[in-house]
Amino acid sequence: MTHSVQNRQASGYPILSIDGGGVRGIIPATMLVEVEKITKKPISDLFRLIGGTSTGGILALGLAMPKGDGTPKFSAQDLLNLYTDPISTTQIFQKNPAYQEPDPRQRFFDRAVQVIATPKYLSPTVVFNDKFQDKLVSDALTDVLITANSVEGVAGRVAGLGLGGLSMAATFLAAVVEEEIPFITPDFFPKTIQLFTTKGMKTLSFSLNNLTREHCKYLMSPLSNNHFYMRHVAQVTSAAPSYFPFVPYRNLKLLDGGCLQNNPAVPCVLEALENKVPLKDMLVVSLGTGETRDFRDPISCFFEMTQPQLAEDRALDVLVEGRHFRFQHYFNGEPPHLDDCRAETIANLKDAGKGVVDAAQENDMLRALCKRLDPEM
C-alpha cells in the first residue's frame, strides 16, 4: 500500500479504480467492505466514477447497480460473498467439454490460437443474467467505466512492443529494480482499448509519455451510444483469453480488459477529463488484486511489458498531484491463478485482503481517507 492521506486537500471528484484478477477480486472487495463499514454508506454514494477491469469490472457494475427504489442492489459484502461461495464459483467456472490441454510441443502461436478458439470454460452468461438481470450501464447509480480489449488491439500492441525490444527489456528491468531508467522506462508505445461507460461505448488511444499536466494528449472517440446491458458488459470485460470465449460485437472480437489495461485508473482520469472535471478536483483510489515481482510467472511478465505498473503509477502521481492512493498486496512467488477457487486459496486471499486493510488502518490512514470521501462522517 502506498501514499499517505494526511495533509492533503479534499477532492470534489472521487474516483474508484478496481484491477482485474479473477478470484483475487477478494482482495479489493475486502477493502470495500471496510470502507462501507467505516462510512456507513454504500460505495456508489462515495465515488463519482467507479472504474473496473475484468473481475474489477464485475465489482464496479455490482456496486453501481440500482434496485427499484434507487438504492444499491448489492453491498460490498454481498459481492465479496460471490467470490467465497462455492456454488457461485462453480457456476462461473463451468468446464468447456470441447477444451483440450494444449500440446507443449506445439509452437506458441498454435497453442495460443487453440486456447482462444476453444477456451477452458464456457461463458458464465447464466450467472451474469441472474445477477444483473435487465439493468443497463446507463442505469448505474454513479458514473462507471469498464475496460475491454479487441483481438485486433491486443495484436497491434504486441506487434508494437516487438518493434521496440530494447525499450521492452528496459521496462522489464525497471520493474525488477523498482527504479526509473531515463528515456526508455515510460510507455512510449500507444495502445487502443475499448471503454463501456454510462454514456455508451468509446475507443481510447494513449501512451503514458504523452500524459502530463501541461500536455495531456490522448484520443477518445465514441464508438456507439447504444445502451448496453450490464450483463453483456460483465461478460465482455471478464472474457480472459484461454479462460472464457471472446464476445463478438459488430466487427470486433472483444476480450478481457486486463489484456492491455488491468488497472483502469488512467482511463478513469481521462474519462473524467472528457467530462470536464479539472485534474485538481480528482482523487483516485486504486485497488489492486495482488501482484508479484517473480517474473518467472509469464502472465506477470506480459503485464509488465504491455502495461508497466510503475510507469502508470508515476503518470497518475503527476496528473493528480498526490491525490492518487494505491492499495496493493504483494505475493511471495507466483500469484494464484484466476480460476483457483480451492478452499485453501480462498482463505489465503481473505487473509491478503485483511492484510491490505490492516496496513491501510495504520495511523488511521484509512479512516482519514474515508473522511475525505464522506466529510460528514
mmCIF file of all heavy atoms in Angstrom, residues 167-192:
data_model
loop_
_atom_site.group_PDB
_atom_site.id
_atom_site.type_symbol
_atom_site.label_atom_id
_atom_site.label_comp_id
_atom_site.label_asym_id
_atom_site.label_seq_id
_atom_site.Cartn_x
_atom_site.Cartn_y
_atom_site.Cartn_z
ATOM 1 N N SER A 167 13.384 -1.183 -25.586
ATOM 2 C CA SER A 167 12.532 -0.454 -24.660
ATOM 3 C C SER A 167 11.758 -1.423 -23.776
ATOM 4 O O SER A 167 11.593 -1.189 -22.578
ATOM 5 C CB SER A 167 11.561 0.440 -25.437
ATOM 6 O OG SER A 167 10.774 1.181 -24.556
ATOM 7 N N MET A 168 11.288 -2.531 -24.353
ATOM 8 C CA MET A 168 10.538 -3.507 -23.587
ATOM 9 C C MET A 168 11.434 -4.131 -22.520
ATOM 10 O O MET A 168 11.027 -4.311 -21.365
ATOM 11 C CB MET A 168 9.994 -4.586 -24.525
ATOM 12 C CG MET A 168 9.030 -5.548 -23.875
ATOM 13 S SD MET A 168 8.081 -6.476 -25.101
ATOM 14 C CE MET A 168 9.340 -7.435 -25.897
ATOM 15 N N ALA A 169 12.656 -4.455 -22.890
ATOM 16 C CA ALA A 169 13.588 -5.037 -21.927
ATOM 17 C C ALA A 169 13.890 -4.057 -20.794
ATOM 18 O O ALA A 169 13.986 -4.439 -19.625
ATOM 19 C CB ALA A 169 14.876 -5.447 -22.635
ATOM 20 N N ALA A 170 14.013 -2.771 -21.143
ATOM 21 C CA ALA A 170 14.299 -1.765 -20.127
ATOM 22 C C ALA A 170 13.118 -1.593 -19.180
ATOM 23 O O ALA A 170 13.298 -1.401 -17.977
ATOM 24 C CB ALA A 170 14.641 -0.439 -20.797
ATOM 25 N N THR A 171 11.896 -1.649 -19.729
ATOM 26 C CA THR A 171 10.712 -1.568 -18.883
ATOM 27 C C THR A 171 10.692 -2.722 -17.889
ATOM 28 O O THR A 171 10.409 -2.564 -16.707
ATOM 29 C CB THR A 171 9.434 -1.604 -19.750
ATOM 30 O OG1 THR A 171 9.422 -0.467 -20.594
ATOM 31 C CG2 THR A 171 8.182 -1.596 -18.884
ATOM 32 N N PHE A 172 11.033 -3.914 -18.383
ATOM 33 C CA PHE A 172 11.096 -5.099 -17.526
ATOM 34 C C PHE A 172 12.140 -4.915 -16.431
ATOM 35 O O PHE A 172 11.885 -5.166 -15.249
ATOM 36 C CB PHE A 172 11.433 -6.310 -18.399
ATOM 37 C CG PHE A 172 11.730 -7.573 -17.632
ATOM 38 C CD1 PHE A 172 10.701 -8.357 -17.150
ATOM 39 C CD2 PHE A 172 13.031 -7.971 -17.388
ATOM 40 C CE1 PHE A 172 10.965 -9.513 -16.445
ATOM 41 C CE2 PHE A 172 13.311 -9.119 -16.688
ATOM 42 C CZ PHE A 172 12.273 -9.901 -16.216
ATOM 43 N N LEU A 173 13.328 -4.432 -16.811
ATOM 44 C CA LEU A 173 14.402 -4.218 -15.841
ATOM 45 C C LEU A 173 14.002 -3.180 -14.807
ATOM 46 O O LEU A 173 14.254 -3.342 -13.606
ATOM 47 C CB LEU A 173 15.678 -3.787 -16.567
ATOM 48 C CG LEU A 173 16.893 -3.489 -15.679
ATOM 49 C CD1 LEU A 173 17.280 -4.734 -14.893
ATOM 50 C CD2 LEU A 173 18.064 -2.994 -16.534
ATOM 51 N N ALA A 174 13.352 -2.109 -15.253
ATOM 52 C CA ALA A 174 12.929 -1.056 -14.333
ATOM 53 C C ALA A 174 11.952 -1.585 -13.296
ATOM 54 O O ALA A 174 11.988 -1.206 -12.129
ATOM 55 C CB ALA A 174 12.291 0.096 -15.112
ATOM 56 N N ALA A 175 11.076 -2.480 -13.727
ATOM 57 C CA ALA A 175 10.109 -3.057 -12.790
ATOM 58 C C ALA A 175 10.813 -3.927 -11.752
ATOM 59 O O ALA A 175 10.438 -3.958 -10.584
ATOM 60 C CB ALA A 175 9.072 -3.876 -13.552
ATOM 61 N N VAL A 176 11.850 -4.640 -12.186
ATOM 62 C CA VAL A 176 12.570 -5.518 -11.265
ATOM 63 C C VAL A 176 13.319 -4.706 -10.211
ATOM 64 O O VAL A 176 13.265 -5.003 -9.015
ATOM 65 C CB VAL A 176 13.547 -6.428 -12.047
ATOM 66 C CG1 VAL A 176 14.431 -7.209 -11.082
ATOM 67 C CG2 VAL A 176 12.768 -7.376 -12.952
ATOM 68 N N VAL A 177 14.033 -3.664 -10.640
ATOM 69 C CA VAL A 177 14.844 -2.883 -9.706
ATOM 70 C C VAL A 177 14.059 -1.759 -9.046
ATOM 71 O O VAL A 177 14.555 -1.110 -8.140
ATOM 72 C CB VAL A 177 16.087 -2.298 -10.411
ATOM 73 C CG1 VAL A 177 16.934 -3.409 -11.015
ATOM 74 C CG2 VAL A 177 15.678 -1.296 -11.488
ATOM 75 N N GLU A 178 12.807 -1.535 -9.512
ATOM 76 C CA GLU A 178 11.934 -0.503 -8.968
ATOM 77 C C GLU A 178 12.580 0.878 -9.033
ATOM 78 O O GLU A 178 12.486 1.683 -8.118
ATOM 79 C CB GLU A 178 11.517 -0.834 -7.538
ATOM 80 C CG GLU A 178 10.712 -2.127 -7.442
ATOM 81 C CD GLU A 178 10.132 -2.349 -6.065
ATOM 82 O OE1 GLU A 178 10.310 -1.484 -5.206
ATOM 83 O OE2 GLU A 178 9.499 -3.386 -5.854
ATOM 84 N N GLU A 179 13.282 1.146 -10.113
ATOM 85 C CA GLU A 179 13.870 2.450 -10.348
ATOM 86 C C GLU A 179 13.621 2.850 -11.793
ATOM 87 O O GLU A 179 13.537 2.003 -12.683
ATOM 88 C CB GLU A 179 15.381 2.437 -10.081
ATOM 89 C CG GLU A 179 15.740 2.248 -8.613
ATOM 90 C CD GLU A 179 17.229 2.311 -8.397
ATOM 91 O OE1 GLU A 179 17.956 2.611 -9.367
ATOM 92 O OE2 GLU A 179 17.667 2.047 -7.266
ATOM 93 N N GLU A 180 13.508 4.161 -12.014
ATOM 94 C CA GLU A 180 13.281 4.646 -13.364
ATOM 95 C C GLU A 180 14.558 4.599 -14.178
ATOM 96 O O GLU A 180 15.628 4.953 -13.716
ATOM 97 C CB GLU A 180 12.757 6.084 -13.332
ATOM 98 C CG GLU A 180 12.474 6.629 -14.720
ATOM 99 C CD GLU A 180 11.805 7.984 -14.665
ATOM 100 O OE1 GLU A 180 11.497 8.441 -13.546
ATOM 101 O OE2 GLU A 180 11.607 8.579 -15.730
ATOM 102 N N ILE A 181 14.422 4.113 -15.425
ATOM 103 C CA ILE A 181 15.524 4.178 -16.371
ATOM 104 C C ILE A 181 15.197 5.304 -17.338
ATOM 105 O O ILE A 181 14.209 5.225 -18.061
ATOM 106 C CB ILE A 181 15.696 2.849 -17.130
ATOM 107 C CG1 ILE A 181 16.057 1.740 -16.142
ATOM 108 C CG2 ILE A 181 16.756 2.966 -18.218
ATOM 109 C CD1 ILE A 181 16.175 0.387 -16.773
ATOM 110 N N PRO A 182 15.971 6.383 -17.359
ATOM 111 C CA PRO A 182 15.612 7.556 -18.166
ATOM 112 C C PRO A 182 15.357 7.196 -19.623
ATOM 113 O O PRO A 182 16.019 6.327 -20.187
ATOM 114 C CB PRO A 182 16.839 8.463 -18.020
ATOM 115 C CG PRO A 182 17.455 8.031 -16.730
ATOM 116 C CD PRO A 182 17.216 6.562 -16.627
ATOM 117 N N PHE A 183 14.408 7.863 -20.188
ATOM 118 C CA PHE A 183 14.040 7.810 -21.593
ATOM 119 C C PHE A 183 13.266 6.553 -21.956
ATOM 120 O O PHE A 183 12.259 6.613 -22.640
ATOM 121 C CB PHE A 183 15.271 7.938 -22.506
ATOM 122 C CG PHE A 183 14.900 7.882 -23.967
ATOM 123 C CD1 PHE A 183 14.266 8.960 -24.578
ATOM 124 C CD2 PHE A 183 15.147 6.751 -24.713
ATOM 125 C CE1 PHE A 183 13.901 8.901 -25.923
ATOM 126 C CE2 PHE A 183 14.781 6.690 -26.053
ATOM 127 C CZ PHE A 183 14.159 7.767 -26.654
ATOM 128 N N ILE A 184 13.718 5.392 -21.508
ATOM 129 C CA ILE A 184 13.134 4.163 -22.025
ATOM 130 C C ILE A 184 12.002 3.645 -21.149
ATOM 131 O O ILE A 184 11.062 3.032 -21.631
ATOM 132 C CB ILE A 184 14.234 3.080 -22.168
ATOM 133 C CG1 ILE A 184 15.264 3.552 -23.183
ATOM 134 C CG2 ILE A 184 13.642 1.771 -22.640
ATOM 135 C CD1 ILE A 184 16.430 2.607 -23.380
ATOM 136 N N THR A 185 12.046 3.904 -19.836
ATOM 137 C CA THR A 185 11.062 3.316 -18.944
ATOM 138 C C THR A 185 9.623 3.675 -19.276
ATOM 139 O O THR A 185 8.769 2.806 -19.267
ATOM 140 C CB THR A 185 11.374 3.705 -17.487
ATOM 141 O OG1 THR A 185 12.638 3.161 -17.148
ATOM 142 C CG2 THR A 185 10.333 3.160 -16.540
ATOM 143 N N PRO A 186 9.254 4.921 -19.585
ATOM 144 C CA PRO A 186 7.857 5.220 -19.844
ATOM 145 C C PRO A 186 7.314 4.437 -21.022
ATOM 146 O O PRO A 186 8.041 3.966 -21.885
ATOM 147 C CB PRO A 186 7.874 6.733 -20.142
ATOM 148 C CG PRO A 186 9.095 7.240 -19.499
ATOM 149 C CD PRO A 186 10.090 6.121 -19.612
ATOM 150 N N ASP A 187 6.011 4.336 -21.040
ATOM 151 C CA ASP A 187 5.318 3.574 -22.070
ATOM 152 C C ASP A 187 5.218 4.429 -23.335
ATOM 153 O O ASP A 187 4.313 5.229 -23.479
ATOM 154 C CB ASP A 187 3.929 3.211 -21.538
ATOM 155 C CG ASP A 187 3.135 2.377 -22.519
ATOM 156 O OD1 ASP A 187 3.621 2.104 -23.621
ATOM 157 O OD2 ASP A 187 2.016 2.014 -22.177
ATOM 158 N N PHE A 188 6.171 4.253 -24.251
ATOM 159 C CA PHE A 188 6.194 5.072 -25.458
ATOM 160 C C PHE A 188 5.285 4.513 -26.551
ATOM 161 O O PHE A 188 4.984 5.203 -27.515
ATOM 162 C CB PHE A 188 7.622 5.179 -26.008
ATOM 163 C CG PHE A 188 8.463 6.155 -25.236
ATOM 164 C CD1 PHE A 188 9.244 5.719 -24.188
ATOM 165 C CD2 PHE A 188 8.451 7.501 -25.541
ATOM 166 C CE1 PHE A 188 10.017 6.606 -23.461
ATOM 167 C CE2 PHE A 188 9.222 8.395 -24.817
ATOM 168 C CZ PHE A 188 10.009 7.947 -23.780
ATOM 169 N N PHE A 189 4.880 3.255 -26.435
ATOM 170 C CA PHE A 189 4.104 2.635 -27.486
ATOM 171 C C PHE A 189 2.622 2.800 -27.198
ATOM 172 O O PHE A 189 2.127 2.355 -26.169
ATOM 173 C CB PHE A 189 4.464 1.147 -27.608
ATOM 174 C CG PHE A 189 5.895 0.927 -27.986
ATOM 175 C CD1 PHE A 189 6.841 0.616 -27.021
ATOM 176 C CD2 PHE A 189 6.298 1.062 -29.301
ATOM 177 C CE1 PHE A 189 8.158 0.431 -27.366
ATOM 178 C CE2 PHE A 189 7.629 0.877 -29.645
ATOM 179 C CZ PHE A 189 8.561 0.560 -28.686
ATOM 180 N N PRO A 190 1.877 3.451 -28.095
ATOM 181 C CA PRO A 190 0.455 3.682 -27.832
ATOM 182 C C PRO A 190 -0.340 2.394 -27.843
ATOM 183 O O PRO A 190 0.027 1.416 -28.495
ATOM 184 C CB PRO A 190 0.034 4.597 -28.993
ATOM 185 C CG PRO A 190 1.014 4.306 -30.076
ATOM 186 C CD PRO A 190 2.308 4.002 -29.389
ATOM 187 N N LYS A 191 -1.424 2.389 -27.091
ATOM 188 C CA LYS A 191 -2.345 1.255 -27.112
ATOM 189 C C LYS A 191 -3.758 1.774 -27.273
ATOM 190 O O LYS A 191 -4.068 2.925 -26.929
ATOM 191 C CB LYS A 191 -2.220 0.419 -25.837
ATOM 192 C CG LYS A 191 -2.465 1.161 -24.533
ATOM 193 C CD LYS A 191 -2.259 0.215 -23.377
ATOM 194 C CE LYS A 191 -2.136 0.962 -22.056
ATOM 195 N NZ LYS A 191 -1.812 0.065 -20.944
ATOM 196 N N THR A 192 -4.604 0.927 -27.801
ATOM 197 C CA THR A 192 -6.004 1.277 -28.023
ATOM 198 C C THR A 192 -6.869 0.276 -27.291
ATOM 199 O O THR A 192 -6.709 -0.942 -27.443
ATOM 200 C CB THR A 192 -6.343 1.265 -29.522
ATOM 201 O OG1 THR A 192 -5.553 2.251 -30.196
ATOM 202 C CG2 THR A 192 -7.813 1.565 -29.748
#
